[in-house]
Amino acid sequence: MHIVYVNREYPPSLRSGGIASYVYEMAHALSSQGHRITVICASDDTRNCSVQTEGNVRVFRLSGGDFCIPQLEGSGLFNKLRGITRFYSYRRAIRETILSLDHVDIIEVPEYGAEAYFLMDLKIPVVIRLHTPTSLDRGSFEKRRYNIKQLPEAWIALQEEKLIKKASYITSCSQSLIDWCTNFFELNSNIIRRIFNPIRTEVWKPTSGTMRHPFSILYAGTVAREKGVEDLIQACNILRSHGIPIRLTIAGKLGQYGKSLKENAAEWCHFLGSIPRMDLLQLYSSHEIGVFPAWWDNLPLVCIEAMASECITLASSNGGMSEIIIDGENGFLISPRNPHILADKIQQILHMDEKGKRHVRIRARHTIEKHLSTKVVCEETLEFYECVLKNYKYENSLG
């Protein structure tokens, strides 16, 4: 099967995030099974383009992307408006690249960024993968309201919504996200298949010989208010005021908000900034607890990675993480946006005996191996693709 993944960010990239990691995992897992994989993404420096081959994965990095990385191309006003000024031209380039390929069976593209804008009328089935629409407000779990200064973002959100409503084939990384889209986009949930994000369990596992530092807390992911990072810092500060010598490590893209937190951080709080994804392996293995207290999140790979690496995982009960974590069994859940509740839960975990901690770690690893390994997720994805192809051929045979 020839599968095309479209996504503006793909490793190695300064923009790499959860969607990029998902595409990378799927592309290489499916290519190892003999499938032909093409990835179409944007070059970080959008003045350049390239074509690379990674085993059975061919990667097109297109020029003319609709974003700008300031350290590469500057940060002028025109560059900041690329989401609008280059919206059509970049998506036409995606379409033209796909049309230049031979024997494409299926295309998968995220809803985020509306990159399927010129793809829905191709004679190839298109699967929309839900990660998190721009219009989803993580704080209220409602549909965002935009002010006049946010019109470009509001316009992108509208294009995403139109494509989602138009799609015939949709997958989602969590049931929570399916429920939101069903409610706010008035979709039929029966057309959406939940398929978890995958992880290579043969890679993501405890690092041998690494000691877990007592009272060590790890947060990994984008440093943003709605990710609960400030709540976590406050919770750790509460614990330290009670004489518990917490050490907090924060790994991930900072942005202006993150830089502000870093400038005011105490000596026990270490900001690492963006680091290569594989460097997280050592961090998961050396920290006692991985905490992901987002106000809402889909099913972030950092949570899956931590569980696979047997780092005790404490996550928000709002969103997809609660779909794989059973509180007290293979991890722990907390209601977000309350530093005192978060501090109490961290203290509860720290006071567990080693036998109890070991039980949680082993059960977490087992959960990921059983439900979220690349082997399991690829089987589910290929089964879905086969159904899509069968339905697509049948629908087209009817004229």
Side-chain angles (χ1 to χ4, degrees):
M1 189 182 298
H2 184 184
I3 305 163
V4 174
Y5 285 100
V6 177
N7 176 41
R8 67 181 64 181
E9 54 187 59
Y10 182 79
S13 168
L14 294 175
R15 288 177 51 83
S16 288
I19 304 178
S21 297
Y22 160 79
V23 173
Y24 184 89
E25 296 282 357
M26 292 299 299
H28 284 269
L30 290 172
S31 70
S32 70
Q33 297 181 20
H35 297 281
R36 182 181 168 195
I37 307 297
T38 300
V39 176
I40 300 174
C41 61
S43 173
D44 276 4
D45 186 336
T46 61
R47 297 165 293 191
N48 301 323
C49 62
S50 64
V51 182
Q52 301 149 350
T53 301
E54 306 170 354
N56 287 331
V57 179
R58 196 177 186 196
V59 182
F60 287 79
R61 297 186 184 272
L62 304 183
S63 59
D66 61 342
F67 62 83
C68 173
I69 298 178
Q71 57 265 47
L72 294 179
E73 299 182 66
S75 56
L77 177 61
F78 187 75
N79 285 349
K80 292 179 180 179
L81 293 175
R82 283 182 178 178
I84 300 298
T85 61
R86 291 187 177 181
F87 181 88
Y88 297 109
S89 61
Y90 178 64
R91 282 149 190 78
R92 287 194 184 96
I94 293 172
R95 177 189 174 94
E96 290 168 4
T97 303
I98 291 174
L99 290 174
S100 73
L101 304 174
D102 61 308
H103 305 298
V104 174
D105 292 294
I106 201 160
I107 302 166
E108 181 177 307
V109 57
E111 92 287 24
Y112 186 75
E115 291 181 295
Y117 193 87
F118 289 118
L119 305 183
M120 305 303 280
D121 65 340
L122 294 177
K123 301 301 181 183
I124 307 168
V126 176
V127 174
I128 298 295
R129 173 72 170 176
L130 300 178
H131 291 277
T132 301
T134 299
S135 56
L136 190 157
D137 188 323
R138 294 173 184 266
S140 65
F141 202 50
E142 300 281 335
K143 201 172 183 181
R144 291 182 63 185
R145 297 181 178 181
Y146 297 93
N147 59 44
I148 191 68
K149 294 181 180 180
Q150 298 170 314
L151 283 181
E153 188 176 1
W155 189 80
I156 293 292
L158 179 61
Q159 307 317 308
E160 292 174 4
E161 181 175 346
K162 287 179 179 179
L163 286 171
I164 292 170
K165 288 180 175 180
K166 189 177 180 180
S168 299
Y169 313 108
I170 306 175
T171 66
S172 172
C173 58
S174 72
Q175 184 62 44
S176 178
L177 191 49
I178 293 175
D179 294 341
W180 189 90
C181 289
T182 299
N183 183 21
F184 289 98
F185 294 159
E186 299 179 352
L187 299 179
N188 179 355
S189 62
N190 292 330
I191 72 168
I192 310 176
R193 176 79 66 86
R194 183 187 75 171
I195 301 177
F196 288 136
N197 287 331
I199 192 169
R200 289 170 291 164
T201 51
E202 68 275 15
V203 173
W204 295 92
K205 57 186 178 181
T207 304
S208 59
T210 301
M211 295 289 293
R212 295 190 185 276
H213 303 298
F215 307 109
S216 57
I217 308 296
L218 172 67
Y219 169 84
T222 300
V223 180
R225 187 183 304 278
E226 62 271 17
K227 291 283 189 174
V229 178
E230 200 166 354
D231 300 331
L232 175 56
I233 294 173
Q234 292 177 22
C236 291
N237 198 42
I238 290 170
L239 292 171
R240 288 188 65 88
S241 71
H242 294 164
I244 302 174
I246 293 292
R247 306 288 293 182
L248 174 62
T249 301
I250 296 174
K253 291 184 286 188
L254 296 180
Q256 288 302 121
Y257 173 77
K259 290 176 182 177
S260 176
L261 290 181
K262 182 178 180 180
E263 288 174 2
N264 297 288
E267 55 85 23
W268 49 264
C269 181
H270 302 278
F271 285 80
L272 303 182
S274 296
I275 62 173
R277 184 184 175 206
M278 296 310 299
D279 287 2
L280 288 170
L281 266 172
Q282 185 72 21
L283 294 177
Y284 293 132
S285 296
S286 61
H287 285 73
E288 197 162 4
I289 309 173
V291 183
F292 310 101
W295 298 349
W296 179 90
D297 216 332
N298 46 33
L299 186 55
L301 276 168
V302 286
C303 175
I304 302 169
E305 291 166 355
M307 293 175 70
S309 304
E310 296 186 10
C311 179
I312 293 178
T313 304
L314 171 56
S316 170
S317 59
N318 285 1
M321 291 182 284
S322 64
E323 295 171 31
I324 63 171
I325 294 177
I326 301 172
D327 188 43
E329 175 63 21
N330 60 357
F332 297 88
L333 296 170
I334 47 97
S335 298
R337 308 188 72 167
N338 191 319
H340 290 278
I341 290 176
L342 180 54
D344 288 343
K345 199 72 168 185
I346 292 173
Q347 186 170 8
Q348 174 192 330
I349 297 169
L350 291 173
H351 286 166
M352 291 174 61
D353 59 33
E354 287 305 315
K355 182 179 179 181
K357 291 178 182 178
R358 183 62 182 158
H359 172 83
V360 173
R361 290 189 177 109
I362 291 173
R363 296 305 300 168
R365 171 80 184 176
H366 176 74
T367 297
I368 302 304
E369 289 178 330
K370 184 176 181 180
H371 299 291
L372 294 97
S373 68
T374 49
K375 179 178 182 298
V376 172
V377 173
C378 284
E379 286 178 359
E380 293 179 1
T381 300
L382 289 171
E383 178 191 354
F384 179 76
Y385 286 169
E386 292 290 351
C387 289
V388 168
L389 289 170
K390 182 178 179 180
N391 292 339
Y392 186 81
K393 289 176 182 178
Y394 174 74
E395 289 169 0
N396 279 271
S397 70
L398 299 178

